[in-house]
Every structure is written in C-alpha cells, then in structure tokens.
Amino acid sequence: MDIGVLLPTGTAQWGPDEDPRRLIGFGRHAERAGFTSLFVSDSLLSPRIEALTTLAALAPATGTVTLGTAALMPFLRRPVQAAQSLASIDLLSGGRLVVAVGAGFPGRFGRPLYTLSEVPWERRFARLDETVALWRALWTGAGSFHGEILRFDALPPTTRPFRADGPPVWLGGATPAALSRTGRLYDGWLPYPPSPADYASGLREVRAAAVGAGRPAEGITPAVYISVRIDDGADGGRGVLDSYARATYGMPLEELAKVQAVAMGSADQVLGHLVRYVTAGARHLVLRLGALDPRSQREQLDRVAELIPAVRAAADRATAAEGA
C-alpha cells in the first residue's frame, strides 16, 4: 500500500511571496512522515514550478519515495526531448520515477493548452498513446519509430533510464475508452472518480482489458487521486476546500466534487472515505491537501500522516479478503 502526497507547486497554494525552494523541504518532511510517494501536477494555465524541474530537484534531496506526475501533459513538450528528461530524472532518482499522463480536457483546461503548444486538439488520445510508445522505444534504444502521427526514420542515441524498460507510465481518466486503453497499454491507472463504487467498477474494466490483451491483470497499479481536508470545525473544512477549489479551478467545491474525489471532515471521517477506496481496490493513494498557505499545508500533511497506519491496515485486510 503506497500513500503519496501532491506537492503544492502552484502559487495558488503557496502564494507569490513565498520561497518556492521550501517545496523541497516539504517533500523531505513528507518522506520522513511516512509518505511513500511525492507527486507534482502539470499545466501552463496557472503559475507554478514546472513539474519535471521539481522532480529533478527532489531526486537528490530524497532517498526512497517514488517521484511522480499527476498528471503530466505530454503534448506540452516535444516528445523526444521529454523522453530524455524523464530518463534523466529516473537516473538521478535511482529508478524512483512514475509518469502518470493525460491528454487534457475540453474547455479551459484543455484546448487553450493545445493552442499554446501548437498541437492539434483532434486525435489527442492517439497522439498521447503514440508519444508514450515513442518514449518506450527511445528508452530501449530503438533507432526508428513509425506511428500514424509520430514518425522518425532515424532516432539518435538517447539517455537511457535507470530501469531497462524505463519508468512505469500510468494513465488518468475513467471514460470507457480510457479504461480500455489503460488495461491494454499502460502500467497503472490514476483516476479521481467521486464514488468508490465507480472506482471499483472502473478497475474491473481495466483488469478485463488487460487480460483481453494478454497482460496480467495484477500488473496494472491501481491508484487514485483524492483531495483531502481534515478539519474539526463545524463545516468539516468545506469552506476552506471551497476556497481551494475556486483558487485552483475557478469553480465552487460543489461543482468540483461532482467530478473529483474529495474527502473532508474529522480524521475519522477522512479515514473512512479513504478506506472505502482501498476496499474498492486502490493500492496507491495520491492525496492533494486542501490548504492555501504553507503553514496550513504542513499542518494538513502531519494530520494526514497520522492516518497512514490505519489505511495500510485496511489494505492488508482487503488483500487478505481478496485471497480468501
């Protein structure tokens, strides 16, 4: 059972007057507190420390935690150069990199990014899959690559990652097409469905697609992305999370909670919600802390860390029940 935290790399989370170098100390503190992974988000639509730059800085500053993206938008980068950057981080971290990827969404979080990147919005999912296939080809020393969209007759020697096959690549998303593609092509699944029941049914579809493609169902890492806020106040942190949702997404919590997993309330209430996802099959939790300043981020980190033993115990019980 892995439990990770999303680092607050955006200025909406740490403020324009804060020293972003404190993020490295935040990551080290999370590792000492018992978290087993550190993730960063990726965007051009709000000011933030760039995802791969952050992971490169964390690589020598941490020792054992997995370093991941949640989620990287490959279309923002030239694919051959991105493969080299990812391989370099995998090397610098001693093989601790996980790359969760996405193709963006319709509306303000999708099309504007494609315009900025001078990449067509059409066939974005095929482009994503081919980009990942190209990375894997480069990481294993292929001299050429011929897809429907990306074609290279002569690839130069590129940086080889720490692991022979390169870092594992996960897919975000929970549409029927995304579930099928995850099972057939990817190493893990990182969605954020607001219902544990939807997570369980989605995971069954992912595993069925894997088996149908001749892959082992257990070879797909079942992860989930959840926003959390532990708060003993009368509203259980709803007001703070609403401010967080508006600052981060420009929408109220009520709307965000319709499409993303959110756990808030007392420590017991948050634990209960996390355990429901564990019971549904999740074995890697990526937790985004609902706080808008460094002091509150650290407080939330420490409060969530206190739940780690209980979450792991729940995972042990769920695994035992599956094997019974």
XYZ file of all heavy atoms in Angstrom, residues 7 19-32 38 49 53-62 298:
217
model
N 2.564 17.684 -4.130
C 3.238 18.884 -3.632
C 2.525 20.139 -4.120
O 2.084 20.213 -5.272
C 4.692 18.911 -4.114
C 5.625 17.839 -3.562
C 7.041 18.088 -4.038
C 5.581 17.786 -2.053
N 8.948 31.514 -0.799
C 10.133 30.972 -1.460
C 9.809 29.556 -1.944
O 9.629 28.650 -1.123
C 11.302 30.938 -0.474
C 12.605 30.510 -1.131
O 12.555 29.962 -2.252
O 13.668 30.704 -0.514
N 9.727 29.334 -3.251
C 9.352 28.000 -3.743
C 10.373 26.925 -3.411
O 10.063 25.732 -3.487
C 9.224 28.207 -5.258
C 10.068 29.401 -5.557
C 9.950 30.293 -4.355
N 11.574 27.309 -3.023
C 12.567 26.305 -2.635
C 12.131 25.542 -1.389
O 12.650 24.454 -1.106
C 13.922 26.969 -2.434
C 14.552 27.460 -3.743
C 15.823 28.228 -3.522
N 15.567 29.496 -2.822
C 16.502 30.399 -2.563
N 17.754 30.181 -2.943
N 16.190 31.513 -1.931
N 11.169 26.091 -0.661
C 10.648 25.380 0.500
C 9.919 24.100 0.106
O 9.685 23.234 0.957
C 9.693 26.296 1.274
C 10.375 27.479 1.952
C 9.374 28.295 2.754
N 10.009 29.438 3.417
C 9.369 30.311 4.169
N 8.057 30.193 4.348
N 10.009 31.317 4.741
N 9.540 24.001 -1.161
C 8.887 22.783 -1.615
C 9.778 21.558 -1.429
O 9.288 20.455 -1.170
C 8.506 22.919 -3.094
C 7.370 23.890 -3.422
C 7.299 24.114 -4.922
C 6.040 23.365 -2.893
N 11.074 21.745 -1.565
C 11.995 20.615 -1.392
C 11.988 20.163 0.058
O 11.942 18.965 0.356
C 13.411 20.995 -1.852
C 13.372 21.557 -3.290
C 14.330 19.780 -1.780
C 12.690 20.649 -4.288
N 12.010 21.122 0.977
C 11.910 20.768 2.386
C 10.581 20.116 2.716
O 10.508 19.202 3.546
N 9.514 20.571 2.072
C 8.195 19.979 2.257
C 8.219 18.515 1.822
O 7.684 17.633 2.509
C 7.168 20.765 1.438
C 5.740 20.364 1.667
C 4.968 21.005 2.617
C 5.153 19.356 0.911
C 3.640 20.647 2.824
C 3.829 18.990 1.106
C 3.068 19.632 2.066
N 8.876 18.241 0.684
C 8.975 16.875 0.210
C 9.774 15.995 1.150
O 9.396 14.846 1.422
N 10.873 16.518 1.665
C 11.673 15.735 2.620
C 10.881 15.458 3.893
O 10.957 14.367 4.468
C 12.972 16.475 2.932
C 13.986 16.479 1.803
C 15.372 16.823 2.315
N 15.410 18.186 2.841
C 15.892 19.239 2.173
N 16.364 19.064 0.952
N 15.917 20.436 2.721
N 10.131 16.461 4.346
C 9.316 16.274 5.540
C 8.258 15.201 5.307
O 8.006 14.363 6.200
C 8.650 17.604 5.936
C 7.803 17.515 7.164
N 8.341 17.422 8.436
C 6.446 17.479 7.324
C 7.356 17.348 9.326
N 6.199 17.380 8.680
N 7.632 15.195 4.128
C 6.631 14.171 3.806
C 7.260 12.780 3.828
O 6.651 11.819 4.329
C 6.006 14.457 2.444
N 8.454 12.653 3.301
C 9.135 11.355 3.311
C 9.392 10.896 4.735
O 9.148 9.730 5.088
C 10.448 11.453 2.528
C 11.190 10.132 2.419
C 12.425 10.223 1.545
O 13.130 11.258 1.623
O 12.684 9.272 0.787
N 9.857 11.788 5.591
C 10.110 11.429 6.986
C 8.816 11.087 7.722
O 8.811 10.271 8.646
C 10.825 12.576 7.709
C 12.255 12.824 7.237
C 12.989 13.739 8.196
N 12.359 15.064 8.277
C 12.702 16.097 7.517
N 13.667 15.963 6.604
N 12.101 17.264 7.670
N 5.803 11.220 -3.774
C 5.609 12.651 -3.940
C 5.237 12.899 -5.393
O 5.958 12.477 -6.302
C 6.893 13.423 -3.599
C 7.475 13.220 -2.201
C 8.818 13.938 -2.094
C 6.516 13.730 -1.138
N 5.731 26.003 -10.277
C 7.055 25.474 -10.587
C 6.863 24.278 -11.512
O 6.081 23.370 -11.225
C 7.801 25.058 -9.307
C 7.906 26.244 -8.346
C 9.194 24.541 -9.660
C 8.619 27.446 -8.912
N 11.055 19.935 -13.591
C 12.091 20.663 -12.849
C 11.989 20.339 -11.366
O 13.011 20.116 -10.686
C 11.926 22.180 -13.065
O 11.973 22.466 -14.454
C 13.024 22.951 -12.355
N 10.762 20.298 -10.849
C 10.560 19.982 -9.435
C 11.040 18.576 -9.114
O 11.723 18.348 -8.103
C 9.068 20.115 -9.072
O 8.621 21.431 -9.408
C 8.860 19.893 -7.581
N 10.699 17.624 -9.954
C 11.121 16.243 -9.696
C 12.640 16.100 -9.772
O 13.235 15.342 -8.995
C 10.450 15.299 -10.693
C 8.927 15.177 -10.579
C 8.413 14.139 -11.579
C 8.490 14.828 -9.172
N 13.275 16.817 -10.690
C 14.735 16.767 -10.779
C 15.371 17.309 -9.513
O 16.405 16.793 -9.049
C 15.212 17.553 -11.997
N 14.772 18.348 -8.922
C 15.294 18.897 -7.673
C 15.060 17.950 -6.503
O 15.884 17.864 -5.580
C 14.644 20.252 -7.391
N 13.946 17.227 -6.520
C 13.633 16.297 -5.437
C 14.473 15.025 -5.494
O 14.693 14.380 -4.462
C 12.154 15.918 -5.496
C 11.151 16.968 -5.014
C 9.747 16.579 -5.457
C 11.211 17.118 -3.499
N 14.933 14.646 -6.683
C 15.632 13.366 -6.846
C 16.820 13.220 -5.893
O 16.913 12.223 -5.172
C 16.059 13.181 -8.295
N 17.765 14.177 -5.845
C 18.889 14.014 -4.932
C 18.571 14.402 -3.487
O 19.345 14.087 -2.579
C 19.947 14.955 -5.511
C 19.153 16.034 -6.156
C 17.936 15.367 -6.711
N 17.430 15.076 -3.272
C 17.081 15.544 -1.930
C 16.284 14.520 -1.138
O 16.079 14.694 0.059
C 16.282 16.844 -2.030
N 15.825 13.459 -1.803
C 15.043 12.412 -1.150
C 15.748 11.076 -1.339
O 16.649 10.949 -2.167
C 13.624 12.353 -1.723
O 13.685 12.168 -3.152
C 12.868 13.649 -1.433
N 1.513 22.268 5.739
C 2.306 21.430 6.654
C 1.408 20.815 7.731
O 1.575 19.629 8.080
C 3.413 22.274 7.287
C 4.320 21.505 8.238
C 5.187 20.490 7.522
N 6.181 21.138 6.707
C 7.441 21.380 7.113
N 7.832 21.026 8.315
N 8.299 21.946 6.291
